[in-house]
Amino acid sequence: MNPTNYLYLSAILFSIGAVGVIVRKNAIVVFMCIELMLNAANLAFVTFAKINGNLEGQVMAFFTMVVAACEVVVGLAIIVTIFRSRRSASVDDASLLSR
Amino acid sequence: MTSENLVYLIALPLFSSALLMLLGRKADKWGHVFATLISASTFVVGAMEFFAMIDRPESSRAVTQKLFTWISVGTFNVDAGLLLDQLSIAFVLLITGVGTLIHVYSIAYMSHDRDRRRFFAYLNFFIAAMLLLVLGDSYLNLYVGWEGVGLASYLLIGFWNQKPEYATAAKKAFVANRVGDFGLSVAVMIAFANFGAVSFIGIEEKVGGASEAALTAMGLMLLLAAAGKSAQFPLQAWLGDAMAGPTPVSALIHAATMVTAGVYLITRSNFVFDNAPTAQLAVVMVGTITLLFGAIIGMAKDDIKKALAASTMSQIGYMIMASGFGPAGYAFAIMHLLTHGFFKAGMFLGAGSVMHGMNDEVNMRRYGGLAKFMPITSITFGLGYLAIIGVPPFAGFYSKDKIIETAFNAGGVQGVLFGSAALLGAVITAFYMTRLMLMTFFGNKRWAEGSEPHESPFLMWAPMAVLAVGSVASGYLLYSGKAIVKWLAPVVDKDHHEHAEFLPPIVVTTLAVVAVIIGVSIAFIKYRGELSERAPSEVSIFTRVTRRDLLQDDANEFLFMRPGQKLTQLLVKTDESVIDGAVRAVGSSALGSARGMRKLQTGYVRNYALLILIGALVALFAALVVTL
């Protein structure tokens, strides 16, 4: 199978994630979309490793997973704290700037 | 020769002035006595110096004292130094002598004023500044004293500054003086640029090698300075209003001493003027114009102090005129200055005494017949009157007669013109002074209701009596055996010029006496009868113009004040529209752009995410473009 197809899949997943971040209001969904974008990037790394025949891309994918794990910890903690104080997980409600 | 005592002449009154001002109300009880004693001791120091000077031979009469090195830049050195020579000592004795008498007079005159201590502090400050003016050995030291007397004059004219018009009068005097001070500072700069020195001795040594143009420029600037301080045309307008000050101030500062500083300046700068004939001619012309100008104004004044002020202006015109005739005239200018110091101070004190007895009324139309009620005042005033109009053998006769003679002796058409002007001035002087005497001391009573004229206390009439003695005797004493001419010769006439005679002295004397008789007779004919309480309103245009001081204020207003205001308004507008406008535009453009930029910050996470995405895409696109 042509490895380029994985790149196309990666691009599609990334775009879905990006659109999700921009249009959704629920903080949990936005968070999931971010994860989707990270994993699309991971897929692209691994594909490039396959195409180039070396391990650099795979190593990068591990790094990304570690960073993503940390990010999930911090991000979920923030979301939970905001939900506790505001009784809402909507990202729009968390806007405090006056117009 | 040096002397260690000169500094006390200045330090004593300066110390007393500072003490009285710093102690404030604590010194209210004894301040006036202390200031008077200090002034008297200054006179004693001056007198001691005078007698020491007489004992020395003519060649070494001048003494100097170096106080400290003031400015030392490269080869240019100015010491704060004092110089007491035959010219200075005449002024020192006049200032401290008349000054002390006026201190004594003021103790009584100001006894009801709650600020009497402050008044005496200012008077002492004036004495110190005036002594520095005449003792300074360079133009720069003179300048310090020159500014000091200007300040003292301002403070004392506006002494009752709770009245706005008095404060305005003080400001007017100060502004007119500033114009003159500008002239003096330019003169100092010219001296420095051309001679590299500012001391009198330093300039005198180098004056031979200077161009006449530079000397003329310096002379004209000195004349401007003299015109400002001595109320000469065209800076004469302030003197009349300066009468707002208490009467002792008018007597001391605006009659006897400060206003004669211009004559001192010109006489002291004789080495400049003697080499600059054009400047000398300008001096004579300014003096002639002012002596007629002041005399004409004096004819129309009903305010006794303003009439005397106009007369002062006119008499200083005589002095300035005489000093413009060079070595022939300096001595007579100083002689007239000294005799004038006596009789005019005496008359001002007399006017103050009259006001004291008449509830501070100054309008002569509300006086009349006061001779019976104020015998001492009328006698001392009368002696001053005889002196000023030049009746022999009173003081003014000698000094004025010599000035008229010098004017005629200037030679040619000029001599005749200036001499005739001086004679005409003598006629007018006799007229307006006789008018003043008749309206005040004789004729019908035109008093305001409630006036109870009475003779003034001893402390007031004693100084008047002393000054009256001076008005009688000083002329003869100064002129007998040409004493003043010989005394001043080492300073102002080193080469002992021989002066040509245009008319024999006896003819000039006769003419002068005839002039006096004419003036007095006209005044007698016009003012001997019953006078009205009000000035006649149906008068000729000439009288009306003269009552408005020959339009001197209108001219100043039209020529300087209005254009000045226009210029100021223009500048204010330019400032508002151009300079403030530019600053405001910068501010408002920053504000406007900030308002636009603020819209970007919505507070929605997705907007920021979108911007990040767009940014990333742009970056990616740019990278693509660069690599391709």
Side-chain angles (χ1 to χ4, degrees), chain A residues 14 18 21-25 91-92 95 97 99, chain B residues 598 601-610 613:
Chain A
F14 188 89
V21 168
I22 290 161
V23 302
R24 296 305 297 262
K25 283 187 178 174
V91 287
D92 285 2
S95 167
L97 281 182
R99 292 304 182 104
Chain B
R598 208 183 62 164
Q601 306 290 333
T602 56
Y604 292 119
V605 177
R606 49 195 155 85
N607 283 10
Y608 300 130
L610 180 64
L613 186 67

Side-chain angles (χ1 to χ4, degrees), chain B residues 333-352:
Chain B
I334 300 299
M335 180 164 125
H336 196 51
L337 193 158
L338 295 174
T339 57
H340 176 255
F342 283 112
F343 60 68
K344 187 53 71 63
M347 281 195 289
F348 260 116
L349 295 188

Side-chain angles (χ1 to χ4, degrees), chain B residues 34-45:
Chain B
F34 181 71
T36 309
L37 288 177
I38 287 286
S39 178
S41 52
T42 318
F43 176 67
V44 171
V45 174

Side-chain angles (χ1 to χ4, degrees), chain B residues 239-252:
Chain B
L239 189 61
D241 290 336
M243 296 300 121
T247 311
V249 172
S250 309
L252 177 60

Side-chain angles (χ1 to χ4, degrees), chain B residues 1 20 54 106 136 156 167 202 214 232 285 307 314 319 322 336 339 413 417 493 523 536 550 553 557 590:
Chain B
M1 256 191 78
L20 293 188
I54 292 181
S106 307
L156 285 165
Q232 297 296 294
M285 280 163 63
S314 167
M319 300 170 206
H336 196 51
T339 57
V413 185
L417 272 179
D493 189 12
L550 294 180
D553 290 332
E557 190 176 315

Side-chain angles (χ1 to χ4, degrees), chain A residues 74-88:
Chain A
V74 177
L76 276 176
I78 291 172
I79 290 170
V80 169
T81 316
I82 289 177
F83 183 79
R84 273 190 188 161
S85 65
R86 308 187 75 88
R87 287 285 130 199
S88 152

Side-chain angles (χ1 to χ4, degrees), chain A residues 19-63:
Chain A
V19 171
V21 168
I22 290 161
V23 302
R24 296 305 297 262
K25 283 187 178 174
N26 192 316
I28 303 288
V29 179
V30 170
F31 206 61
M32 279 156 60
C33 289
I34 290 171
E35 292 301 315
L36 197 58
M37 285 160 74
L38 281 167
N39 283 316
N42 265 353
L43 185 59
F45 274 129
V46 174
T47 313
F48 286 128
K50 174 82 175 164
I51 292 171
N52 293 332
N54 62 18
L55 285 176
E56 285 175 12
Q58 305 216 10
V59 174
M60 282 307 292
F62 279 113
F63 278 112

